[in-house]
Amino acid sequence: MMRRNSYDKSGEYANYVVERDGRLLEWLLENVKHLSKSKIKQTLQGRGVKVGKKTVTQFDYPLTAGTKITFSKTKRNNDIFKNRYVKIVYEDRHLVVVEKNAGILSMAAGHASLNVKAVLDDYFKKSRQKCTAHVVHRLDRDTSGLMIYAKDKQTELLLEQDWHDIVYDRRYVAVVSGEMEQTEGTVSGWLKDNKAYFTYSSPTDNGGKFAVTHFHVLNRRNGYSLVEYKLETGRKNQIRVHSADMGHPVCGDAKYGCGDDPVGRLCLHAYVLCFRHPVTHEAMTFETPIPASFLRIFK
């Protein structure tokens, strides 16, 4: 058996052998002792870790005893991909999961050039990957949070055709105007756009699409509420319209809000995304922190 810690001839990679089952990040923190936690995470995000022959970026990737780990000594920062609006959270040969900031479109629209698809396509080109980003779902320009992009047409079709079964947990967090009386509940109704592209709701079928939103209040203070929303359906502007229907519009919402804007942005963030990988069928779980600007409101 190879030594537990050896180096290749170039000195750029350290080689390890897993001695017991576990999860990748936990194993790296325990065994790569010469680097800080942040450097280890940067190497993982920068595609500098291989499990067997596979480049892995997923923190909780399962390991089995006897597996070979190759750890790059040079890829501690993702030099190829640096963008102020988009962060790559996970990537494999089939898809990429990103966290987007507020202020960037999911894909090109009209004359707007700033969009996540274009950012990813540029990254794929620079990293010599023969693929393009395929849009399978969208977030509004001013909504931040987690998104999936397919890297080939086949994966795009698998995601689109079976989206509601593949994505089994999708949650948002929002700051809404007013202190909500109910701690949790469900809002439902039919959503339809008018000629001015304004989405309105109806408790009875208006020819639109039926939408169901579950909510849970995480905090209420200073005239605001911090609310978690779990989508049973994924309709256009669903959370924003349903929040307004409850009399507690999302803060910073110029279209459906009441002018309440404590942070200077739409206070809506997609912070949990759980799905079964459309190709490997592995359960994938991603969660991002609630934006600090949201939390400051409740101090």
Side-chain angles (χ1 to χ4, degrees), residues 29-60:
L29 294 174
E30 183 179 335
N31 291 275
V32 184
K33 298 183 183 299
H34 64 287
L35 290 180
S36 66
K37 183 177 180 179
S38 62
K39 290 294 185 185
I40 289 172
K41 283 187 172 182
Q42 285 172 4
T43 304
L44 192 55
Q45 290 175 333
R47 299 177 59 80
V49 177
K50 287 186 178 181
V51 179
K53 295 182 179 180
K54 179 182 179 182
T55 299
V56 175
T57 59
Q58 185 182 339
F59 285 10
D60 61 351

Side-chain angles (χ1 to χ4, degrees), residues 222-291:
N222 303 325
Y224 298 98
S225 299
L226 184 68
V227 186
E228 178 188 81
Y229 292 95
K230 185 172 183 179
L231 299 183
E232 193 170 309
T233 56
R235 309 303 187 198
K236 176 187 172 187
N237 296 328
Q238 179 174 327
I239 291 173
R240 295 164 64 183
V241 173
H242 278 170
S243 292
D245 284 349
M246 290 190 289
H248 298 279
V250 176
C251 291
D253 190 342
K255 194 170 186 178
Y256 303 100
C258 60
D260 209 344
D261 188 11
V263 176
R265 60 157 285 190
L266 179 69
C267 291
L268 184 59
H269 179 74
Y271 85 123
V272 173
L273 181 61
C274 304
F275 61 95
R276 290 179 184 84
H277 196 290
V279 179
T280 68
H281 308 297
E282 180 185 354
M284 315 286 285
T285 300
F286 300 95
E287 183 172 348
T288 64
I290 297 172

Side-chain angles (χ1 to χ4, degrees), residues 135-287:
V135 180
V136 292
H137 69 121
R138 304 178 190 181
L139 291 179
D140 294 334
R141 182 186 63 186
D142 296 320
T143 301
S144 56
L146 295 165
M147 298 185 68
I148 310 170
Y149 285 81
K151 294 172 75 172
D152 57 75
K153 189 67 178 178
Q154 184 179 2
T155 305
E156 176 194 2
L157 291 173
L158 287 171
L159 284 164
E160 287 181 342
Q161 290 169 0
D162 209 15
W163 177 258
H164 293 293
D165 289 327
I166 287 173
V167 180
Y168 58 89
D169 191 0
R170 191 174 168 202
R171 279 177 271 165
Y172 293 70
V173 65
V175 179
V176 303
S177 183
E179 297 186 20
M180 294 178 67
E181 292 184 9
Q182 280 185 281
T183 298
E184 58 185 23
T186 299
V187 186
S188 63
W190 281 262
L191 301 182
K192 186 178 182 180
D193 280 3
N194 62 18
K195 292 181 180 179
Y197 300 103
F198 186 91
T199 305
Y200 63 96
S201 65
S202 170
T204 56
D205 191 346
N206 59 2
K209 294 181 177 179
F210 189 64
V212 180
T213 307
H214 306 288
F215 68 89
H216 177 76
V217 177
L218 303 174
N219 202 347
R220 50 170 80 82
R221 193 174 182 182
N222 303 325
Y224 298 98
S225 299
L226 184 68
V227 186
E228 178 188 81
Y229 292 95
K230 185 172 183 179
L231 299 183
E232 193 170 309
T233 56
R235 309 303 187 198
K236 176 187 172 187
N237 296 328
Q238 179 174 327
I239 291 173
R240 295 164 64 183
V241 173
H242 278 170
S243 292
D245 284 349
M246 290 190 289
H248 298 279
V250 176
C251 291
D253 190 342
K255 194 170 186 178
Y256 303 100
C258 60
D260 209 344
D261 188 11
V263 176
R265 60 157 285 190
L266 179 69
C267 291
L268 184 59
H269 179 74
Y271 85 123
V272 173
L273 181 61
C274 304
F275 61 95
R276 290 179 184 84
H277 196 290
V279 179
T280 68
H281 308 297
E282 180 185 354
M284 315 286 285
T285 300
F286 300 95
E287 183 172 348

Side-chain angles (χ1 to χ4, degrees), residues 113-155:
S113 59
L114 182 63
N115 67 86
V116 178
K117 174 177 163 46
V119 169
L120 289 175
D121 285 344
D122 182 61
Y123 158 64
F124 294 149
K125 183 178 179 181
K126 288 179 178 177
S127 57
R128 298 180 181 178
Q129 298 187 57
K130 295 180 180 179
C131 62
T132 57
H134 295 253
V135 180
V136 292
H137 69 121
R138 304 178 190 181
L139 291 179
D140 294 334
R141 182 186 63 186
D142 296 320
T143 301
S144 56
L146 295 165
M147 298 185 68
I148 310 170
Y149 285 81
K151 294 172 75 172
D152 57 75
K153 189 67 178 178
Q154 184 179 2
T155 305

Side-chain angles (χ1 to χ4, degrees), residues 68-112:
K68 178 184 174 182
I69 303 289
T70 306
F71 188 89
S72 172
K73 296 168 64 183
T74 58
K75 290 186 178 180
R76 293 176 193 167
N77 291 293
N78 193 338
D79 295 325
I80 296 173
F81 188 85
K82 288 183 179 178
N83 188 278
R84 60 177 292 197
Y85 288 100
V86 184
K87 173 184 175 184
I88 292 179
V89 177
Y90 170 82
E91 182 181 3
D92 61 29
R93 60 180 290 195
H94 303 289
L95 56 84
V96 58
V97 177
V98 303
E99 180 182 354
K100 88 171 191 74
N101 289 347
I104 182 170
L105 291 165
S106 300
M107 60 182 291
H111 298 291

